[in-house]
Amino acid sequence: DAKTTQPPSMDCAEGRAANLPCNHSTISGNEYVYWYRQIHSQGPQYIIHGLKNNETNEMASLIITEDRKSSTLILPHATLRDTAVYYCIVSHLYNQGGKLIFGQGTELSVKP
Amino acid sequence: EPEVTQTPSHQVTQMGQEVILRCVPISNHLYFYWYRQILGQKVEFLVSFYNNEISEKSEIFDDQFSVERPDGSNFTLKIRSTKLEDSAMYFCASRGSSGNTIYFGEGSWLTVV
């Protein structure tokens, strides 16, 4: 599985957009970009994933560069409850297996 | 929304004792996983399970560990003889047959004393 690089920590003001970057320069053609978050040792929570195109759901938007070597997770209006560790993971989950490998993630602190 | 459920939420056990952690994956999911997280460290992959057999396991998943799907709903992780260093949060996860998303439970916190 390709490795990712994320800043260890970021701050964001409540109500503002949080933009979390991720570099994955060795991503393979069939690997997806996944974002999960973990709030204070709870189970990792799925946020969003994408292959090539930008994606949006009720939680966030995922912007993937054209060369797929980096991506940005956008939380459009961050709240205090979005304070968590955010993990960017690249992986290929296929019919016989595949897994997610977690790195250290980015610790996002949303401040009032 | 369907979810992965785990029991117990917290267990304290004596060193050397056997522990079984239980998980009910999301209904109709076919791929199952166990991960662990030692306090203050990252989430680590232990094992994946599909079609009643282990698909992949990490170096952490040694002979002390085993997994089983004893019936159509439960997925268990057994630690035969617990060590102090087994103290961690253990997360179960599952994925559907055609899905690209793995969903995690809230975890079982194991404390070995």
Side-chain angles (χ1 to χ4, degrees):
Chain A
D1 293 324
K3 290 186 177 178
T4 63
T5 303
Q6 300 178 254
S9 63
M10 291 181 64
D11 290 341
C12 178
E14 189 178 19
R16 304 296 294 269
N19 296 285
L20 292 92
C22 179
N23 285 323
H24 32 80
S25 58
T26 59
I27 190 171
S28 301
N30 60 0
E31 286 182 315
Y32 283 75
V33 180
Y34 291 87
W35 283 85
Y36 282 77
R37 73 180 182 183
Q38 190 176 27
I39 298 172
H40 191 54
S41 294
Q42 294 178 20
Q45 180 188 20
Y46 166 77
I47 301 173
I48 199 167
H49 76 280
L51 183 63
K52 285 191 275 191
N53 299 323
N54 298 337
E55 302 287 346
T56 295
N57 62 19
E58 64 277 5
M59 287 183 70
S61 294
L62 173 60
I63 308 298
I64 303 173
T65 58
E66 196 168 335
D67 63 8
R68 302 212 319 128
K69 292 184 176 181
S70 66
S71 61
T72 301
L73 178 75
I74 301 173
L75 308 178
H77 305 287
T79 70
L80 299 178
R81 286 177 294 181
D82 291 323
T83 293
V85 179
Y86 287 77
Y87 300 98
C88 169
I89 304 167
V90 293
S91 186
H92 173 46
L93 302 179
Y94 50 95
N95 284 341
Q96 297 303 318
K99 62 187 182 294
L100 300 176
I101 297 298
F102 288 80
Q104 299 293 344
T106 295
E107 188 166 3
L108 176 68
S109 295
V110 180
K111 300 181 183 300
Chain B
E1 181 179 309
E3 58 181 20
V4 177
T5 58
Q6 293 185 237
T7 55
S9 57
H10 189 193
Q11 182 164 352
V12 181
T13 190
Q14 296 268 347
M15 191 168 55
Q17 294 295 305
E18 176 183 284
V19 161
I20 297 176
L21 305 178
R22 290 182 169 81
C23 169
V24 179
I26 294 173
S27 179
N28 297 324
H29 278 194
L30 298 179
Y31 300 88
F32 312 112
Y33 307 82
W34 282 101
Y35 285 76
R36 80 170 186 191
Q37 186 174 32
I38 295 170
L39 187 63
Q41 299 186 22
K42 62 183 181 180
V43 178
E44 299 174 291
F45 168 77
L46 290 179
V47 65
S48 59
F49 190 88
Y50 170 72
N51 199 26
N52 283 319
E53 60 182 27
I54 290 174
S55 302
E56 189 173 354
K57 60 183 180 180
S58 71
E59 291 179 353
I60 303 168
F61 195 87
D62 60 21
D63 292 343
Q64 295 281 63
F65 292 89
S66 62
V67 289
E68 191 179 31
R69 188 154 161 82
D71 53 42
S73 60
N74 289 287
F75 180 52
T76 62
L77 174 69
K78 181 192 292 186
I79 309 174
R80 285 194 190 82
S81 178
T82 50
K83 303 187 283 278
L84 295 176
E85 53 265 37
D86 294 326
S87 294
M89 181 76 90
Y90 288 82
F91 296 110
C92 174
S94 70
R95 172 168 75 98
S97 60
S98 58
N100 268 321
T101 306
I102 296 177
Y103 296 95
F104 288 79
E106 286 303 310
S108 293
W109 181 247
L110 176 65
T111 302
V112 182
V113 296

